[in-house]
Amino acid sequence: MTTQSTGRQERAGLSTALRFARENPVTLFAMSGLTLIVILALLGPVITRYDPLASDVPHALRPPDGMHWFGTDELGRDVFSRVLAAARLDLAIAVSAVGLSMAVGVTVGCFSGYHGGWLDRITGRIVDVLTAFPLFVMAMALVAVLGNSVENLVYSTAIINFPFYIRIARAEVAARRQLGWVEAAHVSGNGPSRIVLMFLLPNIMPTIAVQASLNLGWAILNAAGLSFLGLGITVPTPEWGIMVANGAHFMSSGRWWLVVFPGCALMATILCFNLMGDGLRDLLDPRTRA
Amino acid sequence: MTPPILEVEDLRVSFTSPRGVSEVLHGISLSLQRGQILALVGESGSGKSVTGLSVMGLLPRQASITRGCIRFDGREITHRVPRELRGAGMAMVFQNPRAALNPTRRIRNQLADVILAHEKPTAAELHRRLAELMEQVSIADKARCLAAYPHELSGGLCQRIVIAMAIACSPDLIIADEPTTGLDVLTQKAIMDLLLDLTRARGMSMILVTHDLGMAAQYCDDVAVMNKGYIVESGRDPHALFLDPGDAYTRRLVNACPTEQSRLGPQSVSVPPASAAPLLDVRNLVKTYGRDFRAVDDVSFTIGRGESLGLIGESGSGKSTISRLVSRLINPDGGQILFGGQPIGQMPADHFYRTPLRRQIQFVFQDAAGSLNPRFTAFDAIADPIRRLQQGETSELGERVIACARSVGLPEGLLNRYPHQMSGGQCARVGIARAIAVDPQLLILDEPTAALDVLVQAEVLALLERLRREKGMSYLFVSHDLHVVRMLCSRMLILRHGKVVESGSCEEIFRQPRDAYTIDLLSAIPHFRPTGNGA
């Protein structure tokens, strides 16, 4: 490929992206919102001069002002720096949990959808059993049994998510395995594993990506919910769910900032992930590109 | 003279897309007399369907009529078709009857909907009307059809129901948009005869949108040939027009149409010496589905080296199943498949990709665009079999792909395109290039031109014939079109319900068909007889 044509392709890609942004303001909003959240989370230590864990009891429970933008909590810790630190942790939990369940779920789902037969029946039953439980209660039970730690929070979130990936991947693959280009792949000398991984998997990625985007929001909510109930993450660690849980004690005495700021961060992040889902599908499908 | 039932004057239609406004009809004019049938002929994208939709007032939202006018029975309907006209004044028969019927409602209710939208008959009256309609569209088993859901009926029956819906309120004009696409040739004849009889008996007019010149010639009084949004030629008597076309485009269309006289250059029927072992020897092949449905029932045939055999049959005759059995995509339930003397029927289809014979048997699929991975560029599609089936020598992969593309007439610049960025003909070329990339001895072609326009079909057929001669490949050519098979093959096999009803050389079968079914098939092909075709 010559540099000239690469340049032309880049320009074409750029103009496609611009047109896409113009036509999908909601997706643009969601994506910029998420980018902002991620940048704030990563730059947290640079932006604030307060240690999220350092208590400063003389300045406890101060309302928001120029010094402490989001106020301070009952131990005098800066709420703004705690919200940013919590964003790092919550995003990391969500991304690793969703990545784990996606990797396992999609692989299992693809093969069971492609081969059918006993493999499909067994995975189908496992999925049925997993989804028969109320998922949040199961996540609680899993963390309670496995022990209170961030890793176990990730594992439990991954386990309750992975039936969805199996189901979607299975259905999408089963719908495509009889298509002409899959038969053509056989004739071209591709074995079953190659067909699943190199032909079918890339074709079902748009649907999976949409599901993953919705799931990320849900995984954050799940992690925050478990922490709110005292499972998973323990007290001094900044995490949105715990912050809301602690702040709730002070709501009645008018200290709203302890709940509102982490709550809003949680809400904004989940909203952005959900809005991004649809936009992603359009963007990833080659047929909608110029 | 009475005023025409439909008049279209200088009609211009534009589509608005994010990339701008594009005009698809550049000022066309038509007029249709009462009781006449007009054929709108052209390739896909010529604007013939858009014309039909504009008359019905059914244009999609992004399309708009920018100029001109449409008059129905002297009434101006250009921008708004009054509701009482739809159904009662004019009605439409759609291309895909299954898609035109609501899958969740019984036929009885769907037919009643049409009548009740315009009139208020009593229950008994409605019942009588429905029974009458079924009779008029020649459905014998009235009670069962009325109570059925669309998926329980065959494609031909569904199209009859759609026609019944169209005539339910005695319209003056019927617009039939490719009403027989996807139907078998015998069903096609039955449906067209029915439409013709109904139009004549009721004094209706009809616009038949079609790409089939034979059908236009056989069933229509007037014809308008469309190309790229213009009417290039129109006139009375399609027969005369097609025999002596005045326009260059019409001439190309007529010449590309496969007829009894069509040939692909000098046909070198190289009959292999009788002693030579055939390349493919299929003996008593059987494939059963379910408990006792025999899709392929005791079929035997041979293909010599460099020979091409045509496999003819309607849908459900087992021809596609045979092509998949021979190409080892599915496993047979009985019989033998010998390739070059080697039995290959017993190797499980799932493991056949590992054998060296995979390279020798390649396949060209019916739906060219659908047989290409949406995420592979044309280059990747052609390179795939070379990468998988040709050991070692991948260093000159690029050159080999380009050579393949060149031999099928695919411009090099298209190699980095995705399937959705290519036309149907270009996709077909990629499909053929992929199949011949590994120099197979046997190429199985499953209706490779069924989805293509007639001009593109002629090009692809010529290409296939040239490749066969150059590379000495054998073809198993599956088709429902007898003329196409005759152009490409020296021998043919006619299948019905999984059994061979007739086999022999194409010349012989055309000259003197023996089986009653073959005779029916041959006579059902709509045709015009171009005598001044240089033949």
Side-chain angles (χ1 to χ4, degrees):
Chain A
M1 190 112 340
T2 63
T3 46
Q4 194 191 355
S5 72
T6 321
R8 200 183 306 133
Q9 270 180 355
E10 271 166 16
R11 265 201 304 282
L14 195 66
S15 76
T16 314
L18 281 177
R19 202 186 70 223
F20 178 81
R22 212 172 36 241
E23 285 168 17
N24 301 277
V26 174
T27 315
L28 186 66
F29 167 79
M31 283 183 167
S32 14
L34 273 181
T35 318
L36 185 71
I37 291 169
V38 170
I39 289 175
L40 283 177
L42 291 178
L43 295 183
V46 185
I47 299 171
T48 81
R49 47 205 172 84
Y50 300 101
D51 180 345
L53 293 177
S55 53
D56 179 15
V57 182
H59 292 106
L61 294 174
R62 290 274 181 88
D65 57 22
M67 293 282 287
H68 301 281
W69 295 348
F70 288 0
T72 58
D73 68 3
E74 76 276 15
L75 294 175
R77 294 174 294 200
D78 180 44
V79 175
F80 181 60
S81 53
R82 283 179 69 76
V83 166
L84 292 187
R88 259 194 315 276
L89 180 62
D90 275 310
L91 285 174
I93 292 174
V95 168
S96 40
V98 168
L100 188 64
S101 58
M102 188 165 96
V104 178
V106 169
T107 314
V108 174
C110 278
F111 280 98
S112 84
Y114 182 77
H115 288 287
W118 59 266
L119 178 67
D120 190 27
R121 279 199 288 280
I122 291 173
T123 50
R125 288 305 91 78
I126 293 174
V127 167
D128 287 345
V129 169
L130 278 177
T131 44
F133 289 102
L135 292 181
F136 192 73
V137 176
M138 189 162 80
M140 282 169 61
L142 281 169
V143 177
V145 170
L146 294 171
N148 257 2
S149 73
V150 176
E151 297 90 80
N152 289 338
L153 190 64
V154 169
Y155 292 140
S156 72
T157 310
I159 289 174
I160 62 170
N161 274 335
F162 111 129
F164 299 104
Y165 290 99
I166 294 189
R167 279 203 173 144
I168 292 179
R170 185 197 163 278
E172 294 279 319
V173 165
R176 285 176 173 80
R177 72 172 167 195
Q178 300 290 346
L179 291 184
W181 50 267
V182 178
E183 280 192 314
H186 277 286
V187 176
S188 296
N190 295 277
S193 313
R194 257 198 93 79
I195 289 178
V196 169
L197 296 175
M198 307 300 291
F199 285 76
L200 290 163
L201 190 57
N203 275 287
I204 67 168
M205 272 330 269
T207 324
I208 303 292
V210 175
Q211 176 67 18
S213 177
L214 300 174
N215 240 236
L216 278 168
W218 201 63
I220 288 182
L221 192 62
N222 193 58
L226 287 173
S227 315
F228 182 90
L229 296 174
L231 288 161
I233 293 160
T234 40
V235 166
T237 320
E239 197 282 335
W240 289 333
I242 298 186
M243 292 172 73
V244 172
N246 282 343
H249 302 304
F250 299 92
M251 271 297 270
S252 49
S253 49
R255 273 88 176 214
W256 50 270
W257 58 90
L258 294 182
V259 173
V260 168
F261 290 113
C264 283
L266 191 58
M267 190 198 73
T269 313
I270 296 169
L271 183 70
C272 286
F273 275 123
N274 287 357
L275 290 178
M276 199 176 67
D278 272 344
L280 258 187
R281 184 185 48 217
D282 294 347
L283 197 64
L284 289 175
D285 191 337
R287 270 159 298 190
T288 58
R289 288 189 215 146
Chain B
M1 192 165 151
T2 53
I5 184 82
L6 181 76
E7 264 186 301
V8 176
E9 256 173 48
D10 191 29
L11 183 69
R12 284 169 188 270
V13 173
S14 295
F15 274 73
T16 314
S17 75
R19 261 149 265 166
V21 180
S22 63
E23 196 175 73
V24 294
L25 288 185
H26 313 289
I28 62 159
S29 302
L30 290 171
S31 103
L32 180 63
Q33 297 294 330
R34 255 173 215 287
Q36 299 282 64
I37 303 180
L38 167 75
L40 279 183
V41 181
E43 294 180 273
S44 46
S46 62
K48 54 191 198 306
S49 285
V50 173
T51 310
L53 291 174
S54 334
V55 172
M56 281 298 288
L58 290 177
L59 282 175
R61 200 177 304 161
Q62 60 271 33
S64 60
I65 296 178
T66 48
R67 239 178 72 187
C69 84
I70 304 171
R71 272 190 298 274
F72 179 78
D73 208 5
R75 207 167 149 188
E76 157 102 35
I77 56 160
T78 316
H79 294 289
R80 210 184 71 82
V81 179
R83 256 188 82 176
E84 71 269 14
L85 273 188
R86 275 194 212 148
M90 48 190 176
M92 187 137 187
V93 176
F94 292 92
Q95 182 163 1
N96 183 348
R98 270 185 216 287
L101 294 171
N102 182 341
T104 60
R105 304 199 70 204
R106 292 182 192 278
I107 299 294
R108 178 196 308 284
N109 301 337
Q110 301 197 41
L111 275 172
D113 286 344
V114 182
I115 298 173
L116 293 174
H118 296 276
E119 303 157 46
K120 292 194 174 51
T122 61
E125 164 93 4
L126 184 66
H127 188 76
R128 191 183 54 74
R129 285 273 296 276
L130 290 182
E132 219 173 76
L133 274 175
M134 298 304 267
E135 252 159 52
Q136 279 169 334
V137 294
S138 318
I139 294 182
D141 199 355
K142 278 182 262 185
R144 189 183 73 88
C145 274
L146 282 174
Y149 289 98
H151 70 267
E152 298 172 307
L153 303 176
S154 69
L157 273 178
C158 281
Q159 193 58 292
R160 282 173 202 273
I161 303 289
V162 172
I163 292 173
M165 284 167 84
I167 61 167
C169 292
S170 315
D172 296 310
L173 172 67
I174 285 191
I175 297 174
D177 188 355
E178 307 256 13
T180 60
T181 313
L183 300 180
D184 293 317
V185 64
L186 290 177
T187 322
Q188 161 173 307
K189 182 173 160 51
I191 293 284
M192 285 314 299
D193 287 345
L194 172 69
L195 274 174
L196 183 71
D197 291 345
L198 286 171
T199 338
R200 295 285 185 248
R202 294 167 161 243
M204 291 189 298
S205 316
M206 179 160 79
I207 295 181
L208 176 68
V209 176
T210 181
H211 64 274
D212 187 331
L213 300 188
M215 217 152 87
Q218 202 154 334
Y219 293 100
C220 301
D221 309 304
D222 294 341
V223 64
V225 182
M226 294 193 68
N227 182 25
K228 293 182 182 152
Y230 293 98
I231 291 187
V232 295
E233 195 167 5
S234 64
R236 316 236 92 195
D237 191 7
H239 273 287
L241 192 138
F242 293 150
L243 291 186
D244 185 22
D247 182 84
Y249 176 76
T250 318
R251 202 170 309 130
R252 273 177 62 208
L253 216 53
V254 169
N255 287 339
C257 221
T259 62
E260 275 181 61
Q261 277 80 32
S262 304
R263 289 289 177 277
L264 288 163
Q267 203 172 27
S268 54
V269 188
S270 55
V271 182
S275 60
L279 179 67
L280 182 76
D281 189 353
V282 173
R283 292 178 195 163
N284 312 100
L285 198 60
V286 173
K287 177 74 187 174
T288 320
Y289 286 115
R291 184 163 300 169
D292 47 18
F293 175 66
R294 293 199 145 195
V296 176
D297 193 355
D298 196 17
V299 169
S300 307
F301 60 89
T302 61
I303 301 180
R305 289 178 198 274
E307 191 194 21
S308 61
L309 175 75
L311 211 54
I312 295 266
E314 307 203 315
S315 49
S317 63
K319 58 187 196 308
S320 284
T321 309
I322 292 179
S323 67
R324 278 168 174 72
L325 286 168
V326 170
S327 57
R328 305 302 297 113
L329 280 168
I330 50 178
N331 291 317
D333 294 321
Q336 277 190 308
I337 305 171
L338 299 167
F339 184 81
Q342 220 178 323
I344 59 169
Q346 274 65 45
M347 299 179 191
D350 282 344
H351 300 304
F352 195 72
Y353 73 95
R354 291 200 208 119
T355 70
L357 286 174
R358 176 73 283 167
R359 227 195 85 199
Q360 305 296 350
I361 306 175
Q362 288 291 308
F363 204 105
V364 178
F365 291 85
Q366 174 166 10
D367 173 9
S371 78
L372 300 174
N373 184 346
R375 302 225 154 222
F376 272 14
T377 59
F379 183 93
D380 289 329
I382 301 172
D384 190 39
I386 305 178
R387 286 190 178 123
R388 300 275 76 75
L389 296 170
Q390 214 105 37
Q391 278 88 18
E393 39 185 319
T394 43
S395 52
E396 74 262 17
L397 182 73
E399 288 108 81
R400 287 202 50 181
V401 172
I402 289 169
C404 269
R406 202 170 289 147
S407 70
V408 299
L410 187 75
E412 226 174 284
L414 294 181
L415 282 175
N416 56 7
R417 295 228 185 148
Y418 288 93
H420 70 277
Q421 297 168 321
M422 290 186 286
S423 70
Q426 286 163 349
C427 285
R429 284 171 201 275
V430 175
I432 295 171
R434 171 178 61 190
I436 62 165
V438 285
D439 291 320
Q441 292 181 335
L442 176 64
L443 200 57
I444 293 155
L445 302 126
D446 186 5
E447 308 228 27
T449 61
L452 301 177
D453 280 316
V454 61
L455 287 177
V456 186
Q457 165 173 297
E459 284 170 25
V460 170
L461 289 176
L463 165 70
L464 287 172
E465 175 61 20
R466 178 171 62 79
L467 287 173
R468 189 178 68 86
R469 260 184 281 127
E470 282 175 8
K471 308 212 174 224
M473 288 183 285
S474 304
Y475 284 175
L476 176 62
F477 190 91
V478 176
S479 179
H480 66 273
D481 190 329
L482 285 147
H483 287 319
V484 169
V485 166
R486 186 185 155 111
M487 280 165 77
L488 206 62
C489 303
S490 47
R491 281 193 306 132
M492 65 167 131
L493 215 64
I494 294 172
L495 286 170
R496 191 185 192 194
H497 302 324
K499 285 192 164 72
V500 178
V501 296
E502 189 159 356
S503 66
S505 88
C506 290
E507 300 291 326
E508 228 169 86
I509 289 181
F510 266 81
R511 190 156 17 88
Q512 207 170 37
R514 286 187 304 269
D515 191 84
Y517 179 70
T518 318
I519 297 171
D520 279 350
L521 270 187
L522 280 171
S523 63
I525 307 170
H527 52 76
F528 58 96
R529 297 187 184 282
T531 45
N533 199 11

